[in-house]
Amino acid sequence: MNDAITHRYPLFSAAEFRRRALNQNGGPVDHAWRDHGDHVLNPEIVAEVETFKLRDAAVLVPVVDAGDEAHVIFTKRTATLRKHSGQIAFPGGSIDPADISPEMAAIRETEEEIGLSGSFVETVGRLPNYLASTGFRITPVLGVVSRGFALTLNPAEVADVFEVPLSFLMDPANHARDRRVIDGIDRHFYRMPYETRMIWGITAGIVRTLYERLYA
């Protein structure tokens, strides 16, 4: 990506996000996942996860077109879920046999979780996969969301939904690094506190990859 070129779009608008998503840094997404996000911080964990029989999943990174300042939709998972309860996440889930692509799975899961109709979503690319120690190979699907949508939360999965300015997420000063022993493993990760929320773990790793691929 040549940022010496003058663009007519504000830096953190949905239009500029779309342009950058289609012209990413770092080479083809299929071979770049080791070089981004918290994979770089945890090479031994990543090497172990590579040996797992991984299930495929997809999440939507929903970037809302809000003029010069786009926002990103996040969910808060319910406290009753078996895995990652109460954590901040992108909408998404397992790729089903009937899903013809990660994009289809991400949009389907998003509609099931928060009621965001796929008619409001334009998919504009993917990030490199995220290999999770929980046994999933996650494809982050990048989407531009048009305003005018209405949300209906699935109470069995989602406790809340909120938006964060893209400019906040793409500021590396907001990307704190931390470490924690999880299931006996010393894991390094990013965390991004926003108001009363704490974005961390897989979600923060995907946000960091978004920054590295599109805005670094």
Side-chain angles (χ1 to χ4, degrees):
M1 183 189 307
N2 184 0
D3 281 319
I5 300 172
T6 300
H7 304 298
R8 66 180 183 274
Y9 306 127
L11 182 58
F12 298 110
S13 66
E16 179 64 6
F17 172 82
R18 179 190 294 108
R19 188 191 71 79
R20 289 172 179 249
L22 295 169
N23 299 277
Q24 294 183 36
N25 295 311
V29 295
D30 292 345
H31 306 289
W33 60 268
R34 290 183 186 86
D35 302 324
H36 292 293
D38 56 9
H39 288 140
V40 178
L41 308 181
N42 300 280
E44 293 181 359
I45 296 175
V46 169
E48 181 179 0
V49 173
E50 280 189 281
T51 68
F52 295 175
K53 183 177 181 180
L54 297 170
R55 296 173 58 192
D56 286 310
V59 298
L60 182 68
V61 181
V63 176
V64 180
D65 190 347
D68 291 351
E69 180 67 85
H71 288 71
V72 182
I73 297 174
F74 292 87
T75 69
K76 181 179 180 181
R77 295 165 64 85
T78 61
T80 56
L81 288 173
R82 186 169 60 89
K83 292 184 178 180
H84 306 296
S85 59
Q87 291 188 13
I88 304 303
F90 290 116
S94 297
I95 297 177
D96 290 345
D99 295 321
I100 62 173
S101 67
E103 286 78 8
M104 182 177 179
I107 290 174
R108 174 185 55 75
E109 286 281 348
T110 297
E111 189 157 3
E112 291 175 4
E113 288 184 11
I114 64 173
L116 175 60
S117 171
S119 62
F120 289 92
V121 181
E122 173 198 0
T123 58
V124 293
R126 303 176 186 175
L127 293 179
N129 290 335
Y130 186 101
L131 270 60
S133 58
T134 50
F136 284 93
R137 181 191 299 107
I138 302 169
T139 301
V141 174
L142 305 179
V144 172
V145 181
S146 301
R147 281 292 190 193
F149 59 84
L151 301 182
T152 303
L153 308 189
N154 179 345
E157 298 187 50
V158 178
D160 196 10
V161 65
F162 62 98
E163 297 181 11
V164 179
L166 180 64
S167 59
F168 175 89
L169 297 169
M170 295 300 100
D171 183 348
N174 297 321
H175 300 179
R177 284 173 57 169
D178 208 338
R179 59 183 290 273
R180 181 180 298 182
V181 176
I182 302 175
D183 297 329
I185 299 172
D186 191 17
R187 178 179 171 185
H188 298 261
F189 57 90
Y190 289 98
R191 57 178 177 82
M192 302 161 188
Y194 177 73
E195 296 181 345
T196 62
R197 317 282 189 176
M198 179 60 74
I199 302 167
W200 73 286
I202 294 172
T203 305
I206 292 172
V207 171
R208 177 69 184 189
T209 299
L210 183 69
Y211 162 73
E212 292 170 352
R213 297 283 297 187
L214 272 64
Y215 288 91

